[in-house]
Amino acid sequence: MLILLHVTMEEDNYSFDLAEHIKTSTPRSPHTKIDISVYEPDSTICPLACLKAYINKTKNLRNSETQLFISYVRPHKPVSRDTVSRWTKETLRICGIDTNVFTAHSTRSASVSKANEKDVPIHEIMANAGWKSAETFS
């Protein structure tokens, strides 16, 4: 999970260090970072602006809680992976993505498919999905 104690905050980028093993961890690169950067082409869908707003709005709810995602129901404790998965799937559904085909575990493929459908340049899709080759997208 994302922990606020493990985030480096800069004006145009927040970088979370993940200490736990995740799907993309490898023996050569066990330590993973998640970078959330400003999206300049459209500030209304900027993930960094959204993250900053979320952190600010939950600041008074979290007391000493350091996990990023907390419940909006009292006592505002950390949410489970299942809750994050449910939130993600609902967001996919609201965005018009078929949640019978794409699940919370396939958000990367769902989001790049939608980006491709909206004519986002392939080099932007590859960079944001963390892919080195267009063949991965194909």
Side-chain angles (χ1 to χ4, degrees):
M1 292 290 190
L2 301 177
I3 307 295
L4 290 173
L5 296 175
H6 300 153
V7 64
T8 303
M9 298 178 181
E10 296 176 0
E11 182 69 26
D12 60 351
N13 183 65
Y14 281 18
S15 183
F16 287 89
D17 289 318
L18 301 178
E20 64 187 60
H21 177 81
I22 62 170
K23 182 179 176 181
T24 58
S25 300
T26 65
R28 276 193 260 150
S29 180
H31 186 72
T32 305
K33 288 171 68 170
I34 294 179
D35 291 319
I36 301 172
S37 300
V38 81
Y39 183 68
E40 293 178 1
D42 187 350
S43 62
T44 63
I45 59 169
C46 177
L48 185 59
C50 181
L51 176 61
K52 286 179 178 181
Y54 175 79
I55 290 171
N56 187 47
K57 287 185 183 283
T58 59
K59 183 174 32 180
N60 294 332
L61 302 177
R62 62 180 61 251
N63 296 317
S64 62
E65 182 51 55
T66 60
Q67 185 172 307
L68 176 63
F69 297 116
I70 59 171
S71 173
Y72 53 86
V73 178
R74 289 181 192 260
H76 311 297
K77 295 293 183 189
V79 297
S80 69
R81 291 176 188 270
D82 291 337
T83 298
V84 173
S85 179
R86 189 176 65 254
W87 288 349
T88 303
K89 190 168 183 176
E90 178 62 12
T91 301
L92 289 171
R93 188 193 63 73
I94 290 168
C95 292
I97 294 170
D98 184 355
T99 55
N100 292 315
V101 175
F102 295 103
T103 67
H105 296 288
S106 59
T107 53
R108 182 164 36 172
S109 58
S111 62
V112 297
S113 294
K114 190 60 131 179
N116 186 56
E117 183 181 299
K118 297 290 185 180
D119 296 323
V120 173
I122 191 70
H123 70 276
E124 281 192 40
I125 292 173
M126 288 172 41
N128 288 298
W131 293 332
K132 293 179 176 45
S133 166
E135 291 173 12
T136 305
F137 178 66
S138 299

